[in-house]
Amino acid sequence: MAALTLLAADGSLSDAALNDAGAYGRPSAPLQSRVAYAAAHVVPRVSADNTPGQPADIDWDATLAFRRNVYSWGLGVADAMDTAQRNMGLDAAATRELISRSAEVAREEGGSVVVGVNTDHVVDSRIPLEQVIDAYKEQLHFTEEQGAGPVLMASRHLARVAQDASDYRRVYREVLSSATVPVVLHWLGTAFDPELAGYFGADDWQTASAVLLDIIGENPDKVAGVKMSLLNAESEISVRAQLPEGVRMFTGDDFNYVSLIGGDTVGQGDNHSDALLGAFAAITPVASAAIQALDADDPARYLEILGPTEELSRQVFAAPTFYYKTGVAFLSWLNGHQPAFQMVGGLHSARSLPHLSRIVELANASLALEDPELALERWHGMLRLNGVEA
């Protein structure tokens, strides 16, 4: 039996038996019990200058093939989000092209795509609220023109200049009033972006969530859902219970998604959350199989399939959490979805070999390696290139 070589932080080596791939099949009909989006990343050209500070030079064939694979498993794609390295190597021009190309692929595949809308094309770090509103609207209208669903992301510009909750209410009111389709509101926590401290006008989630709910209540026809990425299940369950009818909760909690998505079905919390997760880009076949189990009214099978992946996700999203993208791209490479372990902005160097080794170990244990022999070959080759015999 083949064995994976694993590297510990103290330099010691160990072996783990290589598991077979999960026996998961693509769905024969659209998924029914949950709406699920995988927040996809971008693949750079191998020969590009993929170093810090350089513009993104994207391998469009590999990047779009990754999205087609997600659609083939019945999931939707969330694009141009933080997973795609916005503000960490993916520049404004590349973001616009990604949105346009991704929306075109969604039409071709009959899939659902939502994309991030932000203010990050503005170079100045501090701008007045009026310019924050205009910047949001510019990206919003571009997204609508492409036919993608808008996800109104948390804005660093807004966080820097907002004086109190009333400024958040004003900005969101004016931006939402100009939307021609309902949007998803994104609440990103400081684990992902420290610059967003105090978003919605308060540092504690209880006060901030009241502002968020007020914004939704003032614009009931303009909000399709909320994506919460605070890595705090209590806050998500609380907000979820207070959402108006018809507004979905999309979990962005890569630490606690199993119970949040399961909800009442698995005896955890009120109702359930849908999903908009970076983790689902790393474990797409497993996530699809788990939701298929819920469709078949088999919550025990859902837990059996998806439960083991949560420890893997916690490793991928371990502190400093904003480097989680490295783990997503690493698993994409191990699973054969890109030719090299490279990332725009040089972020393939953002995690240590022992950290990546633990990802390999947990991906193997949770049956998230789609082609185990290929993953072993690539991982062992990477170890040897770094002076570790495998």
Side-chain angles (χ1 to χ4, degrees), residues 23-40:
Y24 305 132
R26 289 175 168 81
S28 57
L31 300 177
Q32 297 293 328
S33 57
R34 302 292 187 272
V35 176
Y37 291 95

Side-chain angles (χ1 to χ4, degrees), residues 214-232:
D214 284 347
I215 290 169
I216 297 170
E218 293 171 5
N219 304 273
D221 299 328
K222 297 289 189 174
V223 180
V226 176
K227 168 179 161 57
M228 285 187 64
S229 301
L230 302 189
L231 303 182
N232 180 325

Side-chain angles (χ1 to χ4, degrees), residues 206-268:
Q206 292 90 345
T207 304
S209 65
V211 177
L212 170 64
L213 289 163
D214 284 347
I215 290 169
I216 297 170
E218 293 171 5
N219 304 273
D221 299 328
K222 297 289 189 174
V223 180
V226 176
K227 168 179 161 57
M228 285 187 64
S229 301
L230 302 189
L231 303 182
N232 180 325
E234 179 188 3
S235 65
E236 181 171 320
I237 292 170
S238 174
V239 173
R240 186 175 71 190
Q242 300 176 72
L243 290 176
E245 184 176 358
V247 178
R248 293 181 181 272
M249 172 59 74
F250 291 96
T251 187
D253 189 334
D254 300 277
F255 283 5
N256 304 292
Y257 55 82
V258 175
S259 63
L260 291 166
I261 295 170
D264 286 341
T265 306
V266 297
Q268 298 286 338

Side-chain angles (χ1 to χ4, degrees), residues 58-61 63-64 67-68 79 94-108 113 142 146:
I58 297 173
D59 179 342
W60 289 112
D61 288 341
T63 294
L64 299 178
R67 284 141 181 81
R68 294 182 195 277
D79 222 330
T95 298
R96 286 174 67 91
E97 185 172 1
L98 174 62
I99 291 171
S100 177
R101 286 176 177 263
S102 188
E104 182 178 1
V105 167
R107 288 190 291 272
E108 293 171 356
V113 63
F142 175 78
Q146 307 312 305

